[in-house]
Amino acid sequence: MRLFHSPTSPFVRKVMVTLHETGQAGDVTLVPAKGTPVDAGSMPVALNPLGKIPALARDDGPALYDSRVICRYLDDRAQAGLYPAARLWDVLTLEATADGIMDAAVLIIYESRVRPEQHRFAPWVGGQWTKIDRALDALEQRWLSHLHGPLDMGQIAVGAALGYLDFRHGERGWRGGRPGLAAWDAVFAERPSMVATRPVG
């Protein structure tokens, strides 16, 4: 399999952590890809018409894209149990919450790096961060018991999301007022899979 990736993408990191946690990292060749919403660059548009990463090229079927699809496929391939039937809807909701954090955080970066300065809209950036704040509060108030349970995809997604906030938005101090989530992250971030995929640059 070939995974089109950028090591700084939180969605790619979610897939990479899944590969490590399920013992499949050696089954994938990493193919660098880079682009933006206004310039596809080297994004695998022939595999993913949306021009986004991650995209997973397989020998036995069409390419898969969207991190949720890829992670579900990798979990099924390894029979790893990261989407346990007994709490499937909780896992999927937690994963969606984490993906929403990553979406908003990436959009904030695009606003400053891609949009011309004269067209940037500070209230729009503020609105994206408000989404992140609400989601982080939900994690602190509703999801800590789940996060402290057996490993599943919800936890992996949250770990990737919080790691991206540290990487690109560390100055915003997401830990403030969220001691439970901060304590959980301090432990989860040291898992070998998280350490091996930590973004740099």
Side-chain angles (χ1 to χ4, degrees):
M1 298 183 290
R2 292 176 296 143
L3 180 68
F4 290 81
H5 91 303
S6 166
T8 59
S9 162
F11 298 101
V12 168
R13 189 181 189 195
K14 188 176 80 167
V15 171
M16 292 299 300
V17 171
T18 302
L19 285 167
H20 281 275
E21 292 286 354
T22 60
Q24 299 178 88
D27 297 343
V28 171
T29 299
L30 301 180
V31 182
K34 188 175 182 180
T36 71
V38 297
D39 180 3
S42 59
M43 291 295 194
V45 292
L47 301 178
N48 178 1
L50 301 176
K52 292 182 176 183
I53 53 172
L56 183 70
R58 303 177 293 160
D59 294 330
D60 59 348
L64 303 177
Y65 47 89
D66 191 284
S67 65
R68 274 181 266 192
V69 175
I70 295 172
C71 288
R72 193 70 183 263
Y73 168 77
L74 293 173
D75 176 69
D76 184 75
R77 185 175 186 264
Q79 293 295 291
L82 294 176
Y83 293 91
R87 57 183 195 280
L88 178 62
W89 302 114
D90 287 347
V91 172
L92 292 175
T93 301
L94 188 55
E95 183 181 14
T97 302
D99 282 1
I101 291 172
M102 292 189 280
D103 273 327
V106 169
L107 287 173
I108 292 172
I109 294 298
Y110 280 150
E111 182 74 6
S112 64
R113 292 189 178 182
V114 178
R115 192 181 299 276
E117 186 172 0
Q118 67 271 25
H119 297 304
R120 294 173 191 166
F121 188 50
W124 187 87
V125 172
Q128 297 302 320
W129 190 259
T130 297
K131 293 179 191 178
I132 294 170
D133 256 338
R134 287 197 303 259
L136 292 172
D137 286 344
L139 294 178
E140 176 75 20
Q141 296 162 12
R142 305 176 202 167
W143 290 102
L144 286 182
S145 61
H146 185 113
L147 290 174
H148 285 287
L151 181 68
D152 60 35
M153 186 52 59
Q155 296 170 7
I156 290 173
V158 170
L162 298 182
Y164 189 72
L165 294 183
D166 283 338
F167 180 56
R168 293 298 194 204
H169 302 287
E171 75 285 353
R172 290 182 179 265
W174 67 263
R175 290 171 176 80
R178 303 179 183 105
L181 187 59
W184 175 83
D185 178 67
V187 174
F188 194 83
E190 295 306 315
R191 291 182 71 92
S193 62
M194 292 291 288
V195 172
T197 60
R198 193 168 287 158
V200 294

